[in-house]
Amino acid sequence: LPAVYSLDGLLVFGLLLVCTCAYLRKVPRLKAWLLSEKRGVWGVFYKAAVIGTRLHVAVAVSCILMAFYVLVVK
């Protein structure tokens, strides 16, 4: 739980959320069930999926850099 309060833990959580939502957007049943709402709490998942699909190159590079940071630097 203490990792959530650090900046690098928050960045890892954000990247995992964006990557997971972008992946779930490709599954038709899950897209209709989980990512159909554009407002409220469920809208966060929709917005994360949109970020993951539109900025897929930047998200992929960020994931690689964060993995390097977590495995080597930290």
Short mmCIF file of all heavy atoms in Angstrom, two decimals:
data_model
loop_
_atom_site.label_atom_id
_atom_site.label_comp_id
_atom_site.label_asym_id
_atom_site.label_seq_id
_atom_site.Cartn_x
_atom_site.Cartn_y
_atom_site.Cartn_z
N LEU A 1 0.79 -1.20 0.00
CA LEU A 1 0.00 0.00 0.00
C LEU A 1 0.84 1.27 0.00
O LEU A 1 0.43 2.24 -0.60
CB LEU A 1 -0.96 -0.03 1.18
CG LEU A 1 -2.02 1.07 1.19
CD1 LEU A 1 -2.93 0.94 0.00
CD2 LEU A 1 -2.80 1.02 2.47
N PRO A 2 2.00 1.31 0.61
CA PRO A 2 2.79 2.54 0.58
C PRO A 2 3.25 2.94 -0.82
O PRO A 2 3.57 4.09 -1.07
CB PRO A 2 3.99 2.24 1.46
CG PRO A 2 3.56 1.13 2.33
CD PRO A 2 2.59 0.34 1.54
N ALA A 3 3.30 1.99 -1.76
CA ALA A 3 3.74 2.31 -3.11
C ALA A 3 2.75 3.22 -3.83
O ALA A 3 3.10 3.93 -4.75
CB ALA A 3 3.97 1.04 -3.92
N VAL A 4 1.50 3.22 -3.39
CA VAL A 4 0.49 4.05 -4.05
C VAL A 4 0.75 5.53 -3.76
O VAL A 4 0.45 6.39 -4.56
CB VAL A 4 -0.92 3.63 -3.57
CG1 VAL A 4 -1.98 4.55 -4.12
CG2 VAL A 4 -1.20 2.21 -3.97
N TYR A 5 1.35 5.80 -2.61
CA TYR A 5 1.56 7.19 -2.22
C TYR A 5 2.84 7.80 -2.80
O TYR A 5 3.07 8.96 -2.64
CB TYR A 5 1.58 7.30 -0.69
CG TYR A 5 0.26 6.93 -0.09
CD1 TYR A 5 0.15 5.82 0.73
CD2 TYR A 5 -0.87 7.68 -0.36
CE1 TYR A 5 -1.07 5.48 1.28
CE2 TYR A 5 -2.10 7.34 0.18
CZ TYR A 5 -2.18 6.25 1.01
OH TYR A 5 -3.38 5.90 1.54
N SER A 6 3.65 7.01 -3.45
CA SER A 6 4.84 7.56 -4.07
C SER A 6 4.53 7.94 -5.52
O SER A 6 3.59 7.42 -6.13
CB SER A 6 5.99 6.54 -4.03
OG SER A 6 5.66 5.41 -4.79
N LEU A 7 5.32 8.83 -6.06
CA LEU A 7 5.07 9.30 -7.42
C LEU A 7 5.29 8.19 -8.45
O LEU A 7 4.48 8.04 -9.37
CB LEU A 7 5.97 10.49 -7.75
CG LEU A 7 5.78 11.09 -9.14
CD1 LEU A 7 4.37 11.62 -9.31
CD2 LEU A 7 6.79 12.17 -9.40
N ASP A 8 6.32 7.40 -8.28
CA ASP A 8 6.56 6.33 -9.25
C ASP A 8 5.49 5.25 -9.15
O ASP A 8 5.08 4.68 -10.17
CB ASP A 8 7.96 5.75 -9.12
CG ASP A 8 8.26 5.25 -7.72
OD1 ASP A 8 7.51 5.58 -6.79
OD2 ASP A 8 9.27 4.54 -7.56
N GLY A 9 4.97 4.98 -7.98
CA GLY A 9 3.87 4.03 -7.84
C GLY A 9 2.61 4.54 -8.50
O GLY A 9 1.86 3.78 -9.12
N LEU A 10 2.36 5.83 -8.37
CA LEU A 10 1.20 6.43 -9.02
C LEU A 10 1.33 6.40 -10.54
O LEU A 10 0.36 6.13 -11.25
CB LEU A 10 1.03 7.86 -8.53
CG LEU A 10 -0.24 8.58 -8.93
CD1 LEU A 10 -1.45 7.87 -8.33
CD2 LEU A 10 -0.19 10.02 -8.47
N LEU A 11 2.54 6.63 -11.05
CA LEU A 11 2.76 6.57 -12.50
C LEU A 11 2.59 5.15 -13.02
O LEU A 11 2.01 4.94 -14.10
CB LEU A 11 4.15 7.09 -12.84
CG LEU A 11 4.35 8.59 -12.71
CD1 LEU A 11 5.81 8.96 -12.94
CD2 LEU A 11 3.47 9.33 -13.68
N VAL A 12 3.09 4.16 -12.28
CA VAL A 12 2.91 2.76 -12.69
C VAL A 12 1.43 2.41 -12.71
O VAL A 12 0.93 1.77 -13.64
CB VAL A 12 3.70 1.82 -11.75
CG1 VAL A 12 3.31 0.37 -11.98
CG2 VAL A 12 5.18 1.99 -11.96
N PHE A 13 0.71 2.82 -11.67
CA PHE A 13 -0.73 2.56 -11.61
C PHE A 13 -1.46 3.21 -12.79
O PHE A 13 -2.32 2.59 -13.42
CB PHE A 13 -1.31 3.06 -10.29
CG PHE A 13 -2.78 2.87 -10.18
CD1 PHE A 13 -3.32 1.62 -9.92
CD2 PHE A 13 -3.65 3.94 -10.35
CE1 PHE A 13 -4.68 1.44 -9.82
CE2 PHE A 13 -5.01 3.77 -10.26
CZ PHE A 13 -5.53 2.51 -9.99
N GLY A 14 -1.11 4.44 -13.11
CA GLY A 14 -1.74 5.14 -14.23
C GLY A 14 -1.45 4.46 -15.56
O GLY A 14 -2.35 4.31 -16.40
N LEU A 15 -0.21 4.06 -15.77
CA LEU A 15 0.13 3.37 -17.01
C LEU A 15 -0.58 2.04 -17.13
O LEU A 15 -1.06 1.67 -18.21
CB LEU A 15 1.65 3.18 -17.10
CG LEU A 15 2.44 4.39 -17.53
CD1 LEU A 15 3.93 4.12 -17.38
CD2 LEU A 15 2.12 4.76 -18.96
N LEU A 16 -0.65 1.30 -16.03
CA LEU A 16 -1.36 0.02 -16.07
C LEU A 16 -2.85 0.22 -16.33
O LEU A 16 -3.46 -0.57 -17.06
CB LEU A 16 -1.15 -0.73 -14.75
CG LEU A 16 0.22 -1.35 -14.56
CD1 LEU A 16 0.33 -1.94 -13.16
CD2 LEU A 16 0.49 -2.41 -15.60
N LEU A 17 -3.43 1.26 -15.77
CA LEU A 17 -4.84 1.55 -16.01
C LEU A 17 -5.08 1.87 -17.48
O LEU A 17 -6.01 1.34 -18.10
CB LEU A 17 -5.31 2.70 -15.13
CG LEU A 17 -6.76 3.12 -15.30
CD1 LEU A 17 -7.68 2.07 -14.69
CD2 LEU A 17 -6.99 4.47 -14.67
N VAL A 18 -4.24 2.71 -18.05
CA VAL A 18 -4.40 3.10 -19.45
C VAL A 18 -4.21 1.90 -20.37
O VAL A 18 -5.01 1.67 -21.29
CB VAL A 18 -3.43 4.24 -19.81
CG1 VAL A 18 -3.35 4.46 -21.30
CG2 VAL A 18 -3.83 5.52 -19.10
N CYS A 19 -3.19 1.10 -20.11
CA CYS A 19 -2.93 -0.07 -20.96
C CYS A 19 -4.05 -1.10 -20.85
O CYS A 19 -4.47 -1.68 -21.86
CB CYS A 19 -1.60 -0.70 -20.58
SG CYS A 19 -0.18 0.31 -20.99
N THR A 20 -4.54 -1.34 -19.65
CA THR A 20 -5.61 -2.31 -19.45
C THR A 20 -6.90 -1.86 -20.12
O THR A 20 -7.57 -2.66 -20.79
CB THR A 20 -5.85 -2.54 -17.95
OG1 THR A 20 -4.62 -2.96 -17.35
CG2 THR A 20 -6.90 -3.59 -17.72
N CYS A 21 -7.25 -0.61 -19.96
CA CYS A 21 -8.48 -0.11 -20.57
C CYS A 21 -8.39 -0.10 -22.10
O CYS A 21 -9.38 -0.39 -22.78
CB CYS A 21 -8.80 1.28 -20.04
SG CYS A 21 -9.33 1.27 -18.32
N ALA A 22 -7.22 0.22 -22.63
CA ALA A 22 -7.05 0.19 -24.08
C ALA A 22 -7.17 -1.24 -24.61
O ALA A 22 -7.74 -1.47 -25.69
CB ALA A 22 -5.71 0.79 -24.46
N TYR A 23 -6.66 -2.19 -23.85
CA TYR A 23 -6.78 -3.59 -24.26
C TYR A 23 -8.24 -4.05 -24.18
O TYR A 23 -8.74 -4.73 -25.09
CB TYR A 23 -5.91 -4.48 -23.38
CG TYR A 23 -6.06 -5.94 -23.68
CD1 TYR A 23 -5.49 -6.50 -24.82
CD2 TYR A 23 -6.78 -6.77 -22.84
CE1 TYR A 23 -5.63 -7.84 -25.11
CE2 TYR A 23 -6.93 -8.11 -23.12
CZ TYR A 23 -6.35 -8.64 -24.25
OH TYR A 23 -6.50 -9.96 -24.53
N LEU A 24 -8.94 -3.68 -23.10
CA LEU A 24 -10.33 -4.09 -22.94
C LEU A 24 -11.24 -3.45 -23.98
O LEU A 24 -12.31 -3.98 -24.27
CB LEU A 24 -10.82 -3.75 -21.53
CG LEU A 24 -10.21 -4.54 -20.40
CD1 LEU A 24 -10.75 -4.06 -19.07
CD2 LEU A 24 -10.44 -6.02 -20.57
N ARG A 25 -10.83 -2.33 -24.53
CA ARG A 25 -11.63 -1.67 -25.56
C ARG A 25 -11.67 -2.50 -26.85
O ARG A 25 -12.60 -2.37 -27.65
CB ARG A 25 -11.06 -0.29 -25.85
CG ARG A 25 -11.95 0.54 -26.72
CD ARG A 25 -11.47 1.94 -26.83
NE ARG A 25 -12.42 2.70 -27.64
CZ ARG A 25 -12.32 3.96 -27.90
NH1 ARG A 25 -11.32 4.64 -27.40
NH2 ARG A 25 -13.21 4.57 -28.64
N LYS A 26 -10.69 -3.35 -27.06
CA LYS A 26 -10.66 -4.19 -28.26
C LYS A 26 -11.58 -5.40 -28.16
O LYS A 26 -11.86 -6.04 -29.16
CB LYS A 26 -9.22 -4.67 -28.52
CG LYS A 26 -8.24 -3.55 -28.75
CD LYS A 26 -8.56 -2.80 -30.01
CE LYS A 26 -7.53 -1.72 -30.25
NZ LYS A 26 -7.87 -0.90 -31.39
N VAL A 27 -12.03 -5.74 -26.94
CA VAL A 27 -12.92 -6.88 -26.74
C VAL A 27 -14.36 -6.37 -26.82
O VAL A 27 -14.76 -5.55 -26.00
CB VAL A 27 -12.66 -7.55 -25.37
CG1 VAL A 27 -13.57 -8.74 -25.17
CG2 VAL A 27 -11.20 -7.95 -25.25
N PRO A 28 -15.15 -6.82 -27.80
CA PRO A 28 -16.48 -6.22 -28.04
C PRO A 28 -17.43 -6.29 -26.85
O PRO A 28 -18.09 -5.32 -26.53
CB PRO A 28 -17.02 -7.03 -29.22
CG PRO A 28 -15.83 -7.59 -29.89
CD PRO A 28 -14.81 -7.80 -28.82
N ARG A 29 -17.52 -7.43 -26.17
CA ARG A 29 -18.46 -7.54 -25.05
C ARG A 29 -18.03 -6.67 -23.88
O ARG A 29 -18.87 -6.07 -23.21
CB ARG A 29 -18.57 -8.99 -24.59
CG ARG A 29 -19.39 -9.82 -25.51
CD ARG A 29 -19.69 -11.14 -24.89
NE ARG A 29 -20.55 -11.91 -25.78
CZ ARG A 29 -21.04 -13.07 -25.48
NH1 ARG A 29 -20.76 -13.61 -24.32
NH2 ARG A 29 -21.82 -13.69 -26.32
N LEU A 30 -16.76 -6.62 -23.61
CA LEU A 30 -16.28 -5.79 -22.51
C LEU A 30 -16.38 -4.31 -22.84
O LEU A 30 -16.59 -3.49 -21.96
CB LEU A 30 -14.84 -6.16 -22.15
CG LEU A 30 -14.68 -7.54 -21.51
CD1 LEU A 30 -13.21 -7.82 -21.28
CD2 LEU A 30 -15.44 -7.63 -20.22
N LYS A 31 -16.21 -3.98 -24.10
CA LYS A 31 -16.36 -2.58 -24.51
C LYS A 31 -17.78 -2.10 -24.27
O LYS A 31 -18.00 -1.01 -23.74
CB LYS A 31 -15.99 -2.42 -25.98
CG LYS A 31 -16.12 -1.00 -26.47
CD LYS A 31 -15.76 -0.90 -27.94
CE LYS A 31 -15.90 0.53 -28.43
NZ LYS A 31 -15.63 0.67 -29.83
N ALA A 32 -18.75 -2.92 -24.61
CA ALA A 32 -20.14 -2.54 -24.42
C ALA A 32 -20.51 -2.51 -22.94
O ALA A 32 -21.32 -1.70 -22.50
CB ALA A 32 -21.06 -3.50 -25.17
N TRP A 33 -19.90 -3.37 -22.14
CA TRP A 33 -20.27 -3.47 -20.74
C TRP A 33 -19.52 -2.47 -19.87
O TRP A 33 -20.10 -1.80 -19.03
CB TRP A 33 -20.00 -4.88 -20.26
CG TRP A 33 -20.30 -5.09 -18.81
CD1 TRP A 33 -21.53 -5.06 -18.22
CD2 TRP A 33 -19.36 -5.36 -17.78
NE1 TRP A 33 -21.40 -5.29 -16.88
CE2 TRP A 33 -20.08 -5.48 -16.58
CE3 TRP A 33 -17.98 -5.51 -17.75
CZ2 TRP A 33 -19.46 -5.74 -15.37
CZ3 TRP A 33 -17.37 -5.77 -16.55
CH2 TRP A 33 -18.10 -5.88 -15.37
N LEU A 34 -18.23 -2.35 -20.08
CA LEU A 34 -17.38 -1.57 -19.18
C LEU A 34 -17.10 -0.16 -19.68
O LEU A 34 -17.03 0.78 -18.90
CB LEU A 34 -16.06 -2.31 -18.96
CG LEU A 34 -15.07 -1.73 -17.97
CD1 LEU A 34 -15.67 -1.73 -16.58
CD2 LEU A 34 -13.78 -2.51 -17.98
N LEU A 35 -16.95 -0.01 -20.99
CA LEU A 35 -16.48 1.27 -21.52
C LEU A 35 -17.56 2.04 -22.28
O LEU A 35 -17.26 2.88 -23.10
CB LEU A 35 -15.28 1.02 -22.44
CG LEU A 35 -14.09 0.33 -21.78
CD1 LEU A 35 -13.07 -0.03 -22.83
CD2 LEU A 35 -13.49 1.19 -20.71
N SER A 36 -18.81 1.76 -21.99
CA SER A 36 -19.88 2.46 -22.71
C SER A 36 -20.25 3.79 -22.06
O SER A 36 -20.73 4.69 -22.72
CB SER A 36 -21.12 1.56 -22.80
OG SER A 36 -21.59 1.27 -21.50
N GLU A 37 -20.05 3.92 -20.77
CA GLU A 37 -20.41 5.13 -20.05
C GLU A 37 -19.30 6.17 -20.19
O GLU A 37 -18.13 5.87 -19.96
CB GLU A 37 -20.64 4.82 -18.57
CG GLU A 37 -21.29 5.91 -17.80
CD GLU A 37 -22.72 6.17 -18.24
OE1 GLU A 37 -23.44 5.23 -18.61
OE2 GLU A 37 -23.11 7.35 -18.21
N LYS A 38 -19.66 7.40 -20.56
CA LYS A 38 -18.66 8.43 -20.80
C LYS A 38 -18.58 9.45 -19.67
O LYS A 38 -17.76 10.34 -19.70
CB LYS A 38 -18.95 9.16 -22.11
CG LYS A 38 -18.82 8.24 -23.30
CD LYS A 38 -19.08 8.97 -24.58
CE LYS A 38 -18.99 7.99 -25.74
NZ LYS A 38 -19.28 8.61 -27.00
N ARG A 39 -19.43 9.30 -18.66
CA ARG A 39 -19.43 10.23 -17.53
C ARG A 39 -19.37 9.45 -16.22
O ARG A 39 -19.66 8.27 -16.18
CB ARG A 39 -20.71 11.07 -17.53
CG ARG A 39 -20.79 11.99 -18.69
CD ARG A 39 -21.96 12.92 -18.52
NE ARG A 39 -22.18 13.62 -19.78
CZ ARG A 39 -23.36 13.91 -20.27
NH1 ARG A 39 -24.44 13.60 -19.59
NH2 ARG A 39 -23.46 14.53 -21.42
N GLY A 40 -19.00 10.16 -15.17
CA GLY A 40 -18.99 9.55 -13.84
C GLY A 40 -17.75 8.71 -13.60
O GLY A 40 -16.71 8.88 -14.25
N VAL A 41 -17.88 7.79 -12.67
CA VAL A 41 -16.75 6.94 -12.30
C VAL A 41 -16.36 6.02 -13.45
O VAL A 41 -15.17 5.82 -13.73
CB VAL A 41 -17.10 6.12 -11.04
CG1 VAL A 41 -15.97 5.18 -10.69
CG2 VAL A 41 -17.40 7.05 -9.88
N TRP A 42 -17.33 5.47 -14.13
CA TRP A 42 -17.04 4.59 -15.26
C TRP A 42 -16.44 5.35 -16.44
O TRP A 42 -15.79 4.77 -17.30
CB TRP A 42 -18.29 3.84 -15.71
CG TRP A 42 -18.75 2.85 -14.67
CD1 TRP A 42 -19.81 2.99 -13.84
CD2 TRP A 42 -18.15 1.60 -14.35
NE1 TRP A 42 -19.91 1.90 -13.02
CE2 TRP A 42 -18.91 1.03 -13.32
CE3 TRP A 42 -17.05 0.91 -14.84
CZ2 TRP A 42 -18.60 -0.21 -12.75
CZ3 TRP A 42 -16.74 -0.32 -14.28
CH2 TRP A 42 -17.50 -0.86 -13.26
N GLY A 43 -16.66 6.65 -16.48
CA GLY A 43 -16.08 7.47 -17.54
C GLY A 43 -14.57 7.56 -17.46
O GLY A 43 -13.91 7.81 -18.47
N VAL A 44 -14.02 7.34 -16.27
CA VAL A 44 -12.56 7.32 -16.12
C VAL A 44 -11.97 6.19 -16.94
O VAL A 44 -10.94 6.36 -17.61
CB VAL A 44 -12.17 7.19 -14.63
CG1 VAL A 44 -10.68 7.00 -14.47
CG2 VAL A 44 -12.67 8.39 -13.85
N PHE A 45 -12.62 5.04 -16.93
CA PHE A 45 -12.14 3.90 -17.71
C PHE A 45 -12.26 4.19 -19.21
O PHE A 45 -11.39 3.83 -20.00
CB PHE A 45 -12.91 2.63 -17.35
CG PHE A 45 -12.73 2.22 -15.92
CD1 PHE A 45 -13.82 2.13 -15.08
CD2 PHE A 45 -11.49 1.94 -15.42
CE1 PHE A 45 -13.68 1.76 -13.77
CE2 PHE A 45 -11.31 1.57 -14.10
CZ PHE A 45 -12.41 1.48 -13.27
N TYR A 46 -13.35 4.83 -19.62
CA TYR A 46 -13.53 5.19 -21.02
C TYR A 46 -12.43 6.16 -21.47
O TYR A 46 -11.83 5.99 -22.53
CB TYR A 46 -14.91 5.81 -21.23
CG TYR A 46 -15.10 6.38 -22.61
CD1 TYR A 46 -15.38 5.55 -23.68
CD2 TYR A 46 -14.97 7.74 -22.85
CE1 TYR A 46 -15.54 6.06 -24.96
CE2 TYR A 46 -15.13 8.26 -24.12
CZ TYR A 46 -15.41 7.43 -25.16
OH TYR A 46 -15.55 7.94 -26.42
N LYS A 47 -12.18 7.17 -20.66
CA LYS A 47 -11.15 8.16 -21.01
C LYS A 47 -9.76 7.55 -21.04
O LYS A 47 -8.93 7.90 -21.89
CB LYS A 47 -11.23 9.34 -20.06
CG LYS A 47 -12.47 10.16 -20.29
CD LYS A 47 -12.63 11.25 -19.28
CE LYS A 47 -13.88 12.01 -19.65
NZ LYS A 47 -14.75 12.31 -18.59
N ALA A 48 -9.49 6.62 -20.12
CA ALA A 48 -8.20 5.93 -20.14
C ALA A 48 -8.06 5.08 -21.39
O ALA A 48 -6.97 5.00 -21.98
CB ALA A 48 -8.05 5.07 -18.89
N ALA A 49 -9.14 4.47 -21.83
CA ALA A 49 -9.10 3.67 -23.06
C ALA A 49 -8.86 4.54 -24.27
O ALA A 49 -8.11 4.17 -25.18
CB ALA A 49 -10.39 2.88 -23.21
N VAL A 50 -9.48 5.72 -24.30
CA VAL A 50 -9.27 6.64 -25.42
C VAL A 50 -7.83 7.12 -25.45
O VAL A 50 -7.20 7.17 -26.52
CB VAL A 50 -10.26 7.83 -25.33
CG1 VAL A 50 -9.90 8.91 -26.32
CG2 VAL A 50 -11.67 7.34 -25.57
N ILE A 51 -7.27 7.45 -24.31
CA ILE A 51 -5.87 7.87 -24.24
C ILE A 51 -4.96 6.74 -24.71
O ILE A 51 -4.01 6.97 -25.47
CB ILE A 51 -5.51 8.31 -22.81
CG1 ILE A 51 -6.20 9.62 -22.47
CG2 ILE A 51 -4.00 8.44 -22.64
CD1 ILE A 51 -6.09 10.01 -21.02
N GLY A 52 -5.24 5.53 -24.28
CA GLY A 52 -4.41 4.39 -24.66
C GLY A 52 -4.45 4.08 -26.14
O GLY A 52 -3.44 3.65 -26.71
N THR A 53 -5.59 4.28 -26.78
CA THR A 53 -5.67 3.97 -28.21
C THR A 53 -5.15 5.10 -29.08
O THR A 53 -4.55 4.85 -30.12
CB THR A 53 -7.11 3.62 -28.61
OG1 THR A 53 -7.98 4.67 -28.19
CG2 THR A 53 -7.56 2.32 -27.98
N ARG A 54 -5.38 6.33 -28.67
CA ARG A 54 -4.92 7.46 -29.50
C ARG A 54 -3.44 7.74 -29.34
O ARG A 54 -2.78 8.17 -30.28
CB ARG A 54 -5.72 8.71 -29.17
CG ARG A 54 -7.15 8.62 -29.63
CD ARG A 54 -7.87 9.90 -29.45
NE ARG A 54 -9.26 9.75 -29.86
CZ ARG A 54 -10.17 10.66 -29.66
NH1 ARG A 54 -9.87 11.79 -29.05
NH2 ARG A 54 -11.40 10.46 -30.05
N LEU A 55 -2.91 7.54 -28.16
CA LEU A 55 -1.49 7.81 -27.90
C LEU A 55 -0.73 6.51 -27.65
O LEU A 55 0.10 6.44 -26.75
CB LEU A 55 -1.35 8.74 -26.68
CG LEU A 55 -2.01 10.10 -26.79
CD1 LEU A 55 -1.91 10.83 -25.48
CD2 LEU A 55 -1.35 10.91 -27.89
N HIS A 56 -1.01 5.49 -28.45
CA HIS A 56 -0.43 4.18 -28.20
C HIS A 56 1.09 4.17 -28.28
O HIS A 56 1.73 3.43 -27.53
CB HIS A 56 -1.04 3.13 -29.13
CG HIS A 56 -0.81 3.40 -30.59
ND1 HIS A 56 -1.58 4.27 -31.30
CD2 HIS A 56 0.12 2.91 -31.45
CE1 HIS A 56 -1.16 4.30 -32.54
NE2 HIS A 56 -0.12 3.50 -32.67
N VAL A 57 1.68 4.98 -29.12
CA VAL A 57 3.14 5.01 -29.20
C VAL A 57 3.74 5.64 -27.95
O VAL A 57 4.69 5.10 -27.36
CB VAL A 57 3.59 5.78 -30.47
CG1 VAL A 57 5.09 5.92 -30.50
CG2 VAL A 57 3.10 5.09 -31.72
N ALA A 58 3.18 6.74 -27.50
CA ALA A 58 3.67 7.40 -26.29
C ALA A 58 3.45 6.53 -25.06
O ALA A 58 4.32 6.48 -24.17
CB ALA A 58 2.98 8.75 -26.12
N VAL A 59 2.33 5.84 -24.99
CA VAL A 59 2.07 4.96 -23.86
C VAL A 59 3.03 3.78 -23.87
O VAL A 59 3.54 3.38 -22.82
CB VAL A 59 0.60 4.49 -23.88
CG1 VAL A 59 0.34 3.41 -22.84
CG2 VAL A 59 -0.33 5.66 -23.64
N ALA A 60 3.32 3.22 -25.02
CA ALA A 60 4.25 2.11 -25.11
C ALA A 60 5.66 2.53 -24.70
O ALA A 60 6.34 1.81 -23.95
CB ALA A 60 4.26 1.53 -26.52
N VAL A 61 6.09 3.68 -25.15
CA VAL A 61 7.42 4.19 -24.76
C VAL A 61 7.46 4.47 -23.26
O VAL A 61 8.45 4.14 -22.58
CB VAL A 61 7.79 5.45 -25.58
CG1 VAL A 61 9.02 6.12 -25.03
CG2 VAL A 61 7.98 5.08 -27.04
N SER A 62 6.40 5.01 -22.73
CA SER A 62 6.33 5.27 -21.29
C SER A 62 6.38 3.98 -20.49
O SER A 62 7.03 3.92 -19.44
CB SER A 62 5.05 6.02 -20.94
OG SER A 62 5.01 7.25 -21.59
N CYS A 63 5.73 2.94 -20.97
CA CYS A 63 5.77 1.64 -20.28
C CYS A 63 7.18 1.06 -20.28
O CYS A 63 7.63 0.51 -19.28
CB CYS A 63 4.80 0.67 -20.93
SG CYS A 63 3.08 1.01 -20.56
N ILE A 64 7.86 1.17 -21.42
CA ILE A 64 9.23 0.66 -21.50
C ILE A 64 10.16 1.44 -20.57
O ILE A 64 10.97 0.85 -19.84
CB ILE A 64 9.72 0.70 -22.96
CG1 ILE A 64 8.95 -0.31 -23.79
CG2 ILE A 64 11.22 0.44 -23.04
CD1 ILE A 64 9.18 -0.19 -25.27
N LEU A 65 10.03 2.76 -20.56
CA LEU A 65 10.86 3.57 -19.68
C LEU A 65 10.56 3.29 -18.20
O LEU A 65 11.47 3.23 -17.37
CB LEU A 65 10.68 5.05 -19.99
CG LEU A 65 11.25 5.52 -21.31
CD1 LEU A 65 10.88 6.98 -21.56
CD2 LEU A 65 12.75 5.32 -21.36
N MET A 66 9.30 3.12 -17.87
CA MET A 66 8.94 2.84 -16.49
C MET A 66 9.43 1.45 -16.07
O MET A 66 9.87 1.26 -14.93
CB MET A 66 7.43 2.95 -16.29
CG MET A 66 7.00 2.81 -14.85
SD MET A 66 7.80 3.95 -13.70
CE MET A 66 6.97 5.45 -14.10
N ALA A 67 9.36 0.49 -16.97
CA ALA A 67 9.88 -0.84 -16.66
C ALA A 67 11.39 -0.78 -16.42
O ALA A 67 11.90 -1.42 -15.47
CB ALA A 67 9.56 -1.81 -17.79
N PHE A 68 12.10 -0.03 -17.25
CA PHE A 68 13.53 0.13 -17.03
C PHE A 68 13.81 0.79 -15.69
O PHE A 68 14.70 0.36 -14.95
CB PHE A 68 14.15 0.97 -18.18
CG PHE A 68 15.60 1.23 -18.01
CD1 PHE A 68 16.53 0.23 -18.30
CD2 PHE A 68 16.05 2.45 -17.56
CE1 PHE A 68 17.88 0.47 -18.14
CE2 PHE A 68 17.41 2.71 -17.40
CZ PHE A 68 18.32 1.70 -17.69
N TYR A 69 13.05 1.80 -15.35
CA TYR A 69 13.24 2.49 -14.08
C TYR A 69 12.98 1.57 -12.89
O TYR A 69 13.76 1.53 -11.94
CB TYR A 69 12.32 3.72 -14.01
CG TYR A 69 12.32 4.37 -12.65
CD1 TYR A 69 13.38 5.16 -12.25
CD2 TYR A 69 11.26 4.20 -11.77
CE1 TYR A 69 13.40 5.76 -11.00
CE2 TYR A 69 11.26 4.79 -10.53
CZ TYR A 69 12.33 5.56 -10.14
OH TYR A 69 12.34 6.14 -8.91
N VAL A 70 11.90 0.81 -12.96
CA VAL A 70 11.54 -0.06 -11.83
C VAL A 70 12.53 -1.21 -11.69
O VAL A 70 12.92 -1.58 -10.58
CB VAL A 70 10.09 -0.58 -12.00
CG1 VAL A 70 9.78 -1.69 -11.02
CG2 VAL A 70 9.11 0.55 -11.82
N LEU A 71 12.97 -1.79 -12.81
CA LEU A 71 13.85 -2.95 -12.75
C LEU A 71 15.31 -2.60 -12.51
O LEU A 71 16.02 -3.35 -11.84
CB LEU A 71 13.72 -3.77 -14.03
CG LEU A 71 12.37 -4.45 -14.24
CD1 LEU A 71 12.33 -5.11 -15.60
CD2 LEU A 71 12.12 -5.45 -13.14
N VAL A 72 15.78 -1.49 -13.04
CA VAL A 72 17.21 -1.20 -12.98
C VAL A 72 17.52 -0.09 -11.98
O VAL A 72 18.39 -0.26 -11.12
CB VAL A 72 17.74 -0.82 -14.39
CG1 VAL A 72 19.19 -0.44 -14.33
CG2 VAL A 72 17.51 -1.96 -15.36
N VAL A 73 16.85 1.01 -12.07
CA VAL A 73 17.20 2.18 -11.27
C VAL A 73 16.72 2.01 -9.83
O VAL A 73 17.48 2.23 -8.89
CB VAL A 73 16.62 3.47 -11.88
CG1 VAL A 73 16.90 4.67 -11.02
CG2 VAL A 73 17.18 3.66 -13.27
N LYS A 74 15.49 1.62 -9.65
CA LYS A 74 14.92 1.49 -8.32
C LYS A 74 15.38 0.23 -7.69
O LYS A 74 15.81 -0.26 -6.94
CB LYS A 74 13.40 1.51 -8.40
CG LYS A 74 12.73 1.67 -7.08
CD LYS A 74 11.24 1.80 -7.29
CE LYS A 74 10.53 1.93 -5.97
NZ LYS A 74 9.11 1.92 -6.11
#
